[in-house]
Amino acid sequence: MRSGRRVLLLGEGNFSFAAALCGAAAARLVATCYEAEEEVSGRALAAENIRRLRERGAEVLFSVDCTKLKDYFLPADGAFSCIYFNFPHCGKKAGVKKNRELLARFFSSCADVLAEKGEVHVALCNGQGGTPADQPRRAWHNSWQIVSVAAGARFILSDVHPFNAENIRGYKCTGYRSQDKSFGVEGALNHIFTQSTPFPRLKPMICQMELGSRRVSFQVPQVLVDKINRGFLELNSEHPVRTVKEKLTAELSQVFPIQSIDCSLPLLHQGHINGVCRSNVFWIIPNPEQSASTEQMVNGPANSVLFSHTDFCKDTDEHGWMNVQEGNLISEQYFLRPSLLLYVQTLIERAAFLPGTLYVLSGPVFRKCLLSLHSLPVFHEAVFVCAVDKGMENSCIHMLVDTIRSGIYSLHQTVSDRKLNVTLQEATSFETTELKDFAAFEAQVTKIQYLVRVEMDALGSYEKGYCVGSVSTACDGPKSSDLVAVFASVNLDLLAMLICGIADWRMLWTSDERFLRQFPGGELRPFKSFSLYPPSYVHDVSFWVPDREQFDEVAFHTIARQVSHETVVSIQLIDSFQHLETARKSLCYRLTYQSCDKALSCQEVAEMQLLFRKEIQHCLRVTLR
């Protein structure tokens, strides 16, 4: 309520809230009421409150409809920094459906007069909002579903706190069933909404790079367009992923001489990876003849890559899909790097590779994977490599492990007082699918000995932990037979999430400036979500799979990621059926949509689901039911 801010109050019954606010704030107040002045003036306290407001310079208006605000306030008057609407109601015995409609029209109207970074405050009686903050919480169908309703006008719930009427001097609620009577506000909540950033309209992106002696162009896989070349690890970045990498490297520098590999590692890798499912990597077809237009170019390193999407269909078509499952590939097979460990062998065979020095490689890596809040299709990996004399590798491994462990502890202590448990798991047996997924690529180029697992203490018991790294020895050491390479791989994104309390990997990639504002100067702090209790929507899809073909579930999940802007958070197989006569197989999946940082409406989800059905039919050749 700072001086110069313009504040709008709607639905004032007796203007007691406006009078209390006017006495405590320096902002310019505009207090309004839905009824005419003659009707309001007859209410207890109203006439005196109106007089006080006008004496203090506040503007008082009557017969203002909260669903048509642009009809009363002109752009020349200036937008409102804050809009208050306490205990909205359609009047008399209106049910939850009519009050939802009122809120929907109110939020749409607010968008016309609210400043860019403004807030909308809505106070509701206990249980009406339908969020977990309500205690007790009403059944969803019996609530006003305020977060879902607000999403339709691109608003997100950014804070919620008790509406303490007893602390507002002179305030008296009124309007029970459209009468000059008070109503109970015990347990009432004030919901604070802010405007959401829109979903980006992602145009196809072209990048260029040197590939051997050739200059080639590529189209970026559409699911990665908003993630490629984001620069999280650049020198001027304040992203927590970079801070985690720098602080962990600094901890290791206390024990090892450190040498960072400054040259940019190529995003493309040529060849194949034995034992890894082909559908788990992004296959690329370089195009030496394609040139990029000015608006398509990405401003980045000289070897930034642009890709042609070559994922699902047998032959490349107008969608750019290509089936890589039947071995019908061009002679030169390229894919986006799934791990920096692919470059370790080249590094340790260089003449300049110094024994005893710890080399640091870092950058984004790309993998197709099943949907999960902790399964990342793109993340930042740091690899630490050191060559030691044969017979000293175990000592080096333990030194590396102990330093990484103490580094993680040190990072965590600067942010949270919750207990942390960093453990090593023998890589000879994997207990969970999660660990198998993490080690799938690394095992092709290394002899993994340990997986680094981090768990967070919650209320006296450890939560499910996450594998954030591996410690290994190379299958083939440096050229000198007297040396053995030891190295560690760390998932910087997962580590940053655990350190800062970020529950969803997608938040690391948000374009909303409110994320980075929580880490000024790269300082690691506990993260507070700016989108609380986001609504979720469930849709089912059922289809016949093609005869004599293995259904590619990873491709299915990747299409869901792409068409939904990463808003699908869960895909569950809920039914499987095989026809007795034709032997055709039918699958039914349940998709749950939810955004962690943007407003997501039921209409937007319905459109995404229709596009998803169209894409799986085209790219996976399924027959919809």
Side-chain angles (χ1 to χ4, degrees):
M1 305 302 292
R2 295 186 300 272
S3 177
R5 298 187 72 186
R6 194 162 180 247
V7 177
L8 175 64
L9 295 95
L10 298 168
E12 288 289 295
N14 54 23
F15 289 90
S16 60
F17 182 81
L21 204 60
C22 189
R28 294 180 294 144
L29 295 188
V30 180
T32 73
C33 184
Y34 180 65
E35 295 84 3
E37 184 172 5
E38 297 77 13
E39 182 179 352
V40 176
S41 298
R43 295 173 182 170
L45 305 176
E48 176 62 19
N49 288 328
I50 293 171
R51 182 188 65 78
R52 289 171 56 198
L53 284 166
R54 285 173 170 164
E55 285 181 352
R56 293 174 179 174
E59 187 177 356
V60 181
L61 301 176
F62 299 91
S63 302
V64 174
D65 187 340
C66 71
T67 67
K68 301 176 182 179
L69 295 179
K70 66 179 180 180
D71 294 345
Y72 305 94
F73 306 104
L74 301 175
D77 298 330
F80 291 100
S81 300
C82 192
I83 298 175
Y84 283 85
F85 197 0
N86 293 330
F87 308 107
H89 200 278
C90 288
K92 298 185 179 180
K93 294 184 178 182
V96 293
K97 184 176 180 180
K98 285 189 176 180
N99 284 303
R100 285 183 209 143
E101 293 172 355
L102 170 66
L103 286 176
R105 295 169 61 197
F106 157 70
F107 279 113
S108 294
S109 183
C110 285
D112 296 325
V113 298
L114 189 67
E116 182 179 353
K117 296 181 181 180
E119 298 177 349
V120 177
H121 292 232
V122 181
L124 296 179
C125 293
N126 186 29
Q128 287 179 337
T131 73
D134 287 302
Q135 297 298 329
R137 187 180 181 184
R138 287 188 192 176
W140 175 247
H141 70 275
N142 195 34
S143 74
W144 292 14
Q145 303 174 4
I146 188 170
V147 182
S148 179
V149 167
R154 307 228 57 80
F155 284 94
I156 54 177
L157 179 64
S158 293
D159 200 2
V160 58
H161 55 74
F163 183 91
N164 296 316
E166 63 276 9
N167 295 337
I168 305 174
R169 187 176 180 180
Y171 174 70
K172 182 181 179 182
C173 62
T174 186
Y176 176 69
R177 291 190 176 179
S178 303
Q179 304 173 68
D180 189 16
K181 292 183 179 180
S182 62
F183 50 89
V185 292
E186 296 80 10
L189 295 174
N190 187 35
H191 303 79
I192 302 175
F193 290 87
T194 58
Q195 291 172 306
S196 164
T197 57
F199 285 101
R201 293 192 174 186
L202 302 176
K203 297 180 180 179
M205 181 184 290
I206 301 297
C207 296
Q208 294 181 337
M209 71 169 288
E210 297 290 340
L211 197 59
S213 59
R214 297 178 297 164
R215 185 75 174 174
V216 295
S217 301
F218 311 93
Q219 181 173 325
V220 177
Q222 194 66 20
V223 72
L224 300 176
V225 164
D226 60 336
K227 301 177 183 66
I228 204 94
N229 207 40
R230 289 286 292 272
F232 289 175
L233 298 179
E234 292 179 0
L235 288 177
N236 61 348
S237 171
E238 296 184 354
H239 200 283
V241 168
R242 180 179 186 272
T243 304
V244 165
K245 180 241 179 180
E246 293 300 319
K247 289 188 176 295
L248 189 58
T249 302
E251 189 79 17
L252 288 162
S253 70
Q254 303 298 312
V255 179
F256 299 90
I258 292 287
Q259 178 68 53
S260 294
I261 305 300
D262 296 326
C263 63
S264 299
L265 298 171
L267 293 177
L268 282 185
H269 193 81
Q270 184 179 12
H272 63 279
I273 311 176
N274 292 327
V276 176
C277 180
R278 302 179 71 91
S279 64
N280 288 111
V281 296
F282 290 96
W283 293 94
I284 302 300
I285 301 178
N287 184 356
E289 300 178 352
Q290 184 175 353
S291 60
S293 66
T294 302
E295 67 175 3
Q296 289 175 316
M297 290 305 299
V298 173
N299 297 319
N303 64 348
S304 291
V305 183
L306 290 88
F307 311 95
S308 174
H309 202 142
T310 61
D311 296 346
F312 304 123
C313 300
K314 183 173 181 180
D315 298 309
T316 303
D317 59 11
E318 70 273 13
H319 287 73
W321 304 104
M322 187 179 110
N323 191 334
V324 298
Q325 301 176 47
E326 298 182 11
N328 191 18
L329 289 170
I330 61 173
S331 58
E332 294 182 327
Q333 299 182 34
Y334 291 90
F335 52 86
L336 285 175
R337 63 190 187 202
S339 173
L340 298 182
L341 290 171
L342 294 170
Y343 303 106
V344 167
Q345 198 66 42
T346 301
L347 172 66
I348 63 181
E349 290 177 354
R350 295 194 318 182
F353 188 80
L354 299 176
T357 297
L358 189 67
Y359 290 84
V360 183
L361 299 80
S362 60
V365 294
F366 312 89
R367 306 175 180 182
K368 291 182 185 176
C369 55
L370 299 180
L371 277 161
S372 164
L373 292 182
H374 291 86
S375 293
L376 291 63
V378 53
F379 63 90
H380 296 82
E381 182 182 28
V383 174
F384 305 95
V385 188
C386 184
V388 295
D389 293 329
K390 280 188 176 180
M392 298 296 294
E393 60 267 26
N394 288 335
S395 176
C396 183
I397 285 176
H398 289 298
M399 189 181 302
L400 193 56
V401 166
D402 290 342
T403 310
I404 290 175
R405 181 191 286 116
S406 64
I408 294 174
Y409 278 129
S410 177
L411 280 169
H412 181 258
Q413 287 173 357
T414 64
V415 178
S416 173
D417 57 359
R418 293 173 65 188
K419 293 181 181 179
L420 196 70
N421 184 29
V422 183
T423 61
L424 297 180
Q425 180 167 341
E426 292 283 351
T428 53
S429 62
F430 301 116
E431 296 180 359
T432 66
T433 302
E434 173 198 338
L435 297 184
K436 289 180 181 178
D437 291 342
F438 185 89
F441 292 97
E442 285 83 341
Q444 308 310 310
V445 293
T446 70
K447 178 184 177 183
I448 295 180
Q449 297 186 348
Y450 299 103
L451 294 169
V452 182
R453 190 174 183 82
V454 180
E455 298 170 315
M456 197 79 71
D457 184 48
L459 302 178
S461 62
Y462 285 104
E463 298 173 345
K464 177 185 176 183
Y466 296 98
C467 181
V468 300
S470 63
V471 183
S472 325
T473 56
C475 295
D476 299 309
K479 292 180 179 179
S480 170
S481 59
D482 296 329
L483 296 176
V484 175
V486 175
F487 47 93
S489 166
V490 176
N491 185 325
L492 296 173
D493 293 39
L494 276 183
L495 192 53
M497 290 169 62
L498 288 163
I499 296 297
C500 298
I502 301 170
D504 192 324
W505 71 269
R506 298 174 300 171
M507 189 61 77
L508 295 172
W509 299 87
T510 181
S511 58
D512 197 308
E513 63 181 20
R514 285 173 283 191
F515 176 75
L516 284 182
R517 277 211 307 259
Q518 298 192 37
F519 308 99
E523 179 183 354
L524 295 178
R525 296 179 176 181
F527 173 71
K528 181 182 178 182
S529 179
F530 49 83
S531 179
L532 304 179
Y533 315 128
S536 61
Y537 310 90
V538 175
H539 285 268
D540 294 346
V541 60
S542 181
F543 50 84
W544 298 102
V545 299
D547 295 337
R548 297 180 299 279
E549 285 192 21
Q550 182 71 29
F551 179 67
D552 190 343
E553 193 168 23
V554 174
F556 184 73
H557 283 233
T558 301
I559 296 174
R561 290 183 188 275
Q562 176 181 321
V563 302
S564 72
H565 298 278
E566 295 282 7
T567 61
V568 174
V569 294
S570 172
I571 297 181
Q572 296 175 294
L573 178 64
I574 60 174
D575 190 30
S576 176
F577 164 75
Q578 189 160 18
H579 197 283
L580 292 176
E581 296 181 1
T582 64
R584 295 183 71 192
K585 187 176 182 180
S586 172
L587 302 175
C588 182
Y589 284 88
R590 175 157 296 166
L591 283 70
T592 302
Y593 293 78
Q594 186 180 56
S595 175
C596 67
D597 64 327
K598 295 179 176 63
L600 182 63
S601 69
C602 58
Q603 179 61 35
E604 288 174 312
V605 170
E607 293 172 359
M608 291 175 181
Q609 181 70 8
L610 286 175
L611 180 57
F612 177 65
R613 291 171 59 88
K614 177 181 176 181
E615 288 299 309
I616 62 171
Q617 185 176 23
H618 174 81
C619 300
L620 301 182
R621 299 194 294 274
V622 301
T623 303
L624 297 173
R625 297 187 64 183

